[in-house]
Amino acid sequence: MTKTIKVKRLPVDPGPAAWNSILTPASEYPRLNGDINADWVVVGGGFTGIAAARRLSQLVGTESIVLLEAKRLADGPAGRNSGFMIDLPHDLSSETYAGAHENDLRQIKLNREAIRFAGEMATEYGMPKAVFNPCGKVTAAGSSRGEQHIASYQKHLSSLGESFRLMDHSEMKEWTGCDFYRNGLFTPGAVMIQPAAFIRKAAEGLSAKISIYENSPVTRMELGAVHKLVTPGAIVRAKGVILAVNGHIQSFGFFPKRLLHVFTYASMTRALTPGETQRLGGASNWGILPADPMGTTVRRSSDFMGSGDRIVIRNHATLNQSIEATAQNMKRAARLQDRSFENRFPMLKGVEMEYRWGGRLCLSLNSVPAFGEVESRVWAAACQNGLGTVKGTLSGMMAAEQAVLGSSTLLTQFLDHQQPGKLPPEPFLTVGANMTMRWKEWQAGIEM
Ligand SMILES: Cc1cc2nc3c(=O)[nH]c(=O)nc-3n(C[C@H](O)[C@H](O)[C@H](O)COP(=O)(O)OP(=O)(O)OC[C@H]3O[C@@H](n4cnc5c(N)ncnc54)[C@H](O)[C@@H]3O)c2cc1C
């Protein structure tokens, strides 16, 4: 008996993946053009797919592994995110990122396993500090409301036994060059990555052991004793499949009415001139998460792999259950980001944004992954709740362990979560969620 799954939608990404665009163009992996057989297929080449492929390669010895990516590697959300690999609780739907105590302790442990796994890749595949930098992260406040968030985050970290250091206004100014931040909270366990370079380097390293195909979207699956994955160019037959497509797991028909498709947006300046860099002052590499989860993330780096000294601004979120953002969404995000940039960097008046883009997140109402064996020998590793560099890495590792080992100590801890909660019906969901996010953005005030 075979079951056919027709893939309803393929990914559409608004604007360029700037982190990928600023790198020297990568040589292409082939498009799948002739039918092949493999033991394992990983669908999706983001953080989840890369981690799944690597963990599989560690577990299955000489068995063959194929990775199919619909587009170019690092052109999707993997090359669009802000590059914070965060070990601590990062619940975007909470007021301060914090969750329940026991769950947070478990999450920290799991996140650190994922970061350790990513760190192994960084070492093994020779990633420089500009790509993988274990320098910690700073969460900062630009308003008294933000300071309150920092104070309560600090309290929560103390209760978890986590270390941190408070940075005052003058230290923040010395570090960032701008007057904007009242204070900041440094925590040491995070890693800052150049996300596109990380994915490309990891894929390059892995390609010695696995076969990678780009521009090879899976458009149909025929499930049977041997699964058949159909792409526009050819077919792969395999005994095991890991679907590492984040929200597009729903395009394969799984987890219906359980997943929230949120887009968030960013802009990157052109390279600053030496005069502008001097006017700005401060350190040449830094990143800041907003104290209010609805606020603005900022990164500056003079070392984006030789592409100049640039600033990246990320904010704004919209719910798009069609899994596509609109031109209107992009326009509004651009306006908001220009305002955030002006508020923080008045000394850089006139510096234009060279790139503007949006990217997909997938969240569940109860902040849990969409994970598990969804059909015989087909595993889902999806719904990374906005922290895919870490949670994606983790769920990719875990999918490979579940597929090959069946159980492991880490897997038992990872699986200790509920299924994604059921969503309210439309149009209440989309209207309600977008109104709530606009309200929260308004409340975030100057933190935006
Ligand atoms: C602006 C922005 C900032 C962000 N900042 C951060 C941050 O600082 N830290 C953090 O941890 N996260 C951040 N995120 C979220 C993070 O990017 C995602 O959570 C992460 O990319 C999810 O990883 P993934 O591998 O599960 O999915 P994706 O990165 O979405 O990868 C899935 C891949 O599957 C492919 N695919 C889909 N359908 C098919 C198909 N039918 N056939 C073949 N391939 C298919 C897609 O093309 C895609 O490449 C940010 C996101 C955005 C947009």
Side-chain angles (χ1 to χ4, degrees):
M1 268 262 292
T2 61
K3 173 176 176 180
T4 300
I5 292 176
K6 197 168 172 319
V7 178
K8 286 193 236 76
R9 279 185 226 99
L10 293 176
V12 179
D13 300 297
W19 295 94
N20 203 22
S21 306
I22 60 174
L23 298 172
T24 44
S27 52
E28 270 184 50
Y29 294 94
R31 179 173 183 267
L32 187 70
N33 273 328
D35 293 358
I36 54 171
N37 297 321
D39 292 301
W40 298 92
V41 179
V42 175
V43 183
F47 285 86
T48 309
I50 288 288
R54 176 175 161 88
R55 191 71 188 114
L56 274 178
S57 75
Q58 292 172 334
L59 295 171
V60 298
T62 55
E63 293 184 1
S64 55
I65 303 166
V66 163
L67 187 146
L68 298 175
E69 166 52 48
K71 306 177 115 187
R72 298 292 312 277
L73 290 174
D75 258 355
R80 291 163 185 266
N81 68 73
S82 308
F84 287 78
M85 280 195 138
I86 301 168
D87 57 334
L88 295 170
H90 193 74
D91 186 350
L92 294 180
S93 60
S94 126
E95 291 279 301
T96 60
Y97 302 110
H101 188 84
E102 284 310 311
N103 191 44
D104 280 355
L105 287 174
R106 187 182 69 93
Q107 200 58 61
I108 291 170
K109 183 173 185 300
L110 292 168
N111 288 352
R112 287 185 178 150
E113 286 294 336
I115 292 176
R116 191 189 51 71
F117 188 78
E120 275 172 17
M121 280 194 259
T123 307
E124 196 175 320
Y125 305 142
M127 297 184 201
K129 231 176 170 183
V131 178
F132 187 90
N133 188 359
C135 58
K137 68 158 176 60
V138 172
T139 306
S143 65
S144 56
R145 193 182 141 86
E147 283 178 303
Q148 282 165 25
H149 281 296
I150 293 279
S152 91
Y153 189 37
Q154 208 176 332
K155 236 163 114 187
H156 187 67
L157 292 180
S158 295
S159 78
L160 294 169
E162 290 296 328
S163 57
F164 54 80
R165 187 171 68 78
L166 198 62
M167 297 164 76
D168 65 10
H169 170 75
S170 64
E171 193 179 354
M172 289 301 295
K173 182 170 162 68
E174 202 179 312
W175 189 48
T176 62
C178 57
D179 239 336
F180 184 84
Y181 294 103
R182 294 183 175 206
N183 68 7
L185 197 67
F186 169 79
T187 54
V191 176
M192 301 296 298
I193 59 173
Q194 204 295 19
F198 179 94
I199 289 293
R200 276 167 48 170
K201 285 251 173 214
E204 195 185 305
L206 271 172
S207 64
K209 290 188 180 155
I210 70 167
S211 308
I212 300 176
Y213 296 93
E214 290 183 316
N215 299 309
S216 303
V218 174
T219 54
R220 202 171 78 232
M221 294 209 301
E222 287 169 23
L223 307 179
V226 174
H227 300 321
K228 212 158 109 180
L229 282 83
V230 180
T231 74
I235 286 166
V236 188
R237 288 184 183 80
K239 68 171 188 192
V241 177
I242 294 179
L243 296 174
V245 292
N246 208 14
H248 275 285
I249 195 72
Q250 228 160 33
S251 307
F252 285 75
F254 300 113
F255 301 96
K257 301 196 173 111
R258 305 263 162 183
L259 304 178
L260 296 161
H261 303 287
V262 171
F263 276 75
T264 186
Y265 305 85
S267 302
M268 183 188 279
T269 65
R270 60 163 166 75
L272 302 179
T273 63
E276 286 161 349
T277 302
Q278 205 177 12
R279 276 211 306 278
L280 172 59
S284 46
N285 290 288
W286 52 267
I288 281 179
L289 286 168
D292 183 320
M294 291 309 281
T296 295
T297 305
V298 185
R299 264 189 88 171
R300 176 186 173 195
S301 181
S302 60
D303 196 16
F304 287 162
M305 308 289 287
S307 65
D309 193 343
R310 294 170 187 259
I311 292 173
V312 182
I313 300 279
R314 186 221 55 87
N315 61 30
H316 194 41
T318 57
L319 183 78
N320 303 71
Q321 292 300 80
S322 60
I323 329 191
E324 278 189 43
T326 64
Q328 196 67 19
N329 295 149
M330 289 285 285
K331 257 195 192 153
R332 182 174 163 81
R335 267 202 319 273
L336 290 168
Q337 284 152 21
D338 286 347
R339 200 178 67 194
S340 306
F341 185 76
E342 281 163 29
N343 287 342
R344 285 160 180 76
F345 305 104
M347 72 297 272
L348 296 180
K349 201 171 165 38
V351 171
E352 316 85 43
M353 296 296 170
E354 185 172 347
Y355 299 102
R356 302 210 193 254
W357 69 97
R360 271 168 277 122
L361 310 178
C362 177
L363 315 180
S364 57
L365 275 182
N366 44 346
S367 306
V368 296
F371 182 90
E373 191 173 7
V374 286
E375 290 283 348
S376 177
R377 290 168 288 106
V378 177
W379 287 267
C383 188
Q384 314 307 356
N385 288 291
L387 189 61
T389 64
V390 176
K391 292 189 178 180
T393 300
L394 181 68
S395 78
M397 292 157 64
M398 294 298 92
E401 292 197 6
Q402 194 174 54
V404 179
L405 304 175
S407 70
S408 73
T409 315
L410 202 60
L411 190 57
T412 307
Q413 290 166 14
F414 173 73
L415 288 176
D416 184 17
H417 60 74
Q418 300 166 330
Q419 286 302 302
K422 197 150 186 236
L423 302 178
E426 291 291 5
F428 306 106
L429 172 66
T430 295
V431 174
N434 279 310
M435 274 172 66
T436 307
M437 286 192 283
R438 294 302 69 76
W439 167 242
K440 284 188 170 184
E441 282 179 2
W442 182 81
Q443 276 189 316
I446 194 78
E447 300 286 337
M448 267 289 279

